[in-house]
Structure formats: structure tokens, C-alpha cells
Amino acid sequence: MNVLVVDDERRHRAGIQRLLNRLRPDWEINAAGSVEDALRLMDDWKVELLLSDIRMGELDGLTMISRVRQRNDGMRIVIISAYDSFWYAKQAIQCRVDDYLLKPVDESELEGLLQKVEGKTGNSTGFKPVVFEEESAAEKLRMKMTDYIERNYGGDVSLESMASELHFAPSYLSSFFKRQMGIGFSQYL
């Protein structure tokens, strides 16, 4: 299967690409850092599954998805985003995306999605309808961060190792942690 990952954040794009390569080593995985690059790549390469962020540079993922639907109405499209707002979910439904995953991408959630793509669910379309997540992306990330600290406490608990595991930049996690917890990462430890 030909898969295209589109995300303007190199670290997220590379992390999703590595995860896909590990879960499906026989699939052809390509990546683009912008909507423009993705559209150019799709001119020359038949994409069967598109995994795209929503907010990127001048053209966003929703604009790209609208253009893709005009070219190839049957392409399977999944949004991967840190935003779980109702507005984005509504826009995704209007663009007829097949699914909506929140960052950081959970490996088991991605595996379930890939199985649906392969038609292993018994669902006639292979996909569930887009459902707005009850739990916010911020809450989900905060829980993953505290879980990481608990699992690794007494060992290698560094901002860099946590950022690498969760596929975020250390600087982003540092400021996010302080906003969510009210104290800095090193003070928390």
C-alpha cells in the first residue's frame, strides 16, 4: 500500500513514518513537509492512504484534502492532529475523512487503523465514522507524560528521552509541562 504522511513538523512526520515502517515494513511510505510538496508528490505517485496534519503553513490540511477529493474521491484519508476542537472535527466530516487521530499517535490506535485499511474488521467500509474525542489532546498528552515519568522514575527520566518517545520537541514538552502542571519539569522530578 502507498501511504503519504503530511506534516510540517519534521519530528512528527519522521516519528509517524518510523512507526508506520515498523508496523507495516512492506508498505511504501513517503512523507511531505507541506501541502504544496504533498500535492506535487501525488501528481507522480498513486497514494492509497493519506495521513495529514490539519494546521500547516499557508495551506492547511483541510484545503489539501478538499483538493485531493476533487482529484481522487476514493482515497482513504486520516487526519492526525493535536487539535480536537469541534470545529476541526466538523470540517473533517465535511471533507469526508475516514478517521481522525489525535497526537501523540498511540501505536495501538494506529495499528487498529491500519487493520481497518487492510479490511480486517468486518466493517464494510473498513473505517468507523469520525467521532469527536471526549478527552482533550492536552489531557491525553499530560497523561502520557506523567505515565512516562512513573514508568521511568529512578532511571533515565529526561525531557529529551520523554520527547523522543512521545514524538515531540523537548522545548514544546517543557513549556507544555509547565503550563499543565504549574511547575517546571526538573522541579516536578
Side-chain angles (χ1 to χ4, degrees), residues 3 13 22 30 37-38 74 78 100 102 107 152 157-158 182 185:
V3 181
R13 186 173 63 245
R22 188 171 72 237
N30 263 311
D37 290 344
V78 175
Y100 191 112
L102 290 176
E107 185 172 338
N152 294 290
V157 182
S158 69
F185 180 77

Side-chain angles (χ1 to χ4, degrees), residues 1 3 16 19-25 27 29 49 51 76 78 99 101 107-121 126-127:
M1 175 158 302
V3 181
I16 293 167
L19 190 55
L20 285 166
N21 280 322
R22 188 171 72 237
L23 294 172
R24 297 296 184 278
W27 286 12
I29 315 294
L49 173 62
L51 302 171
R76 294 175 172 167
V78 175
D99 214 327
L101 300 178
E107 185 172 338
S108 63
E109 195 174 15
L110 183 60
E111 175 60 37
L113 173 84
L114 298 178
Q115 288 181 10
K116 290 175 190 177
V117 169
E118 294 170 320
K120 295 181 180 177
T121 61
F127 284 97

Side-chain angles (χ1 to χ4, degrees), residues 25 93 112 116 130 135 148 156 183:
I93 291 168
K116 290 175 190 177
V130 172
E135 182 178 34
Y148 173 85
D156 179 25
I183 61 172

Side-chain angles (χ1 to χ4, degrees), residues 6 10 16 22 27 46 71 75 81 97 100 102 112 119-121 160 179 187:
V6 185
R10 186 186 58 78
I16 293 167
R22 188 171 72 237
W27 286 12
K46 183 182 184 235
R71 295 177 176 189
M75 185 185 299
S81 179
V97 301
Y100 191 112
L102 290 176
K120 295 181 180 177
T121 61
E160 290 75 20
R179 278 193 319 271
Q187 291 172 310

Side-chain angles (χ1 to χ4, degrees), residues 133-179:
E133 294 287 332
E134 295 276 333
E135 182 178 34
S136 76
E139 178 65 19
K140 187 176 178 182
L141 177 56
R142 188 178 68 73
M143 288 173 46
K144 286 189 177 206
M145 291 173 76
T146 55
D147 178 61
Y148 173 85
I149 291 168
E150 288 174 14
R151 281 186 292 113
N152 294 290
Y153 197 76
D156 179 25
V157 182
S158 69
L159 194 57
E160 290 75 20
S161 61
M162 181 170 61
S164 177
E165 182 174 311
L166 298 179
H167 309 291
F168 281 91
S171 59
Y172 174 79
L173 284 186
S174 177
S175 63
F176 177 85
F177 193 92
K178 188 164 189 167
R179 278 193 319 271

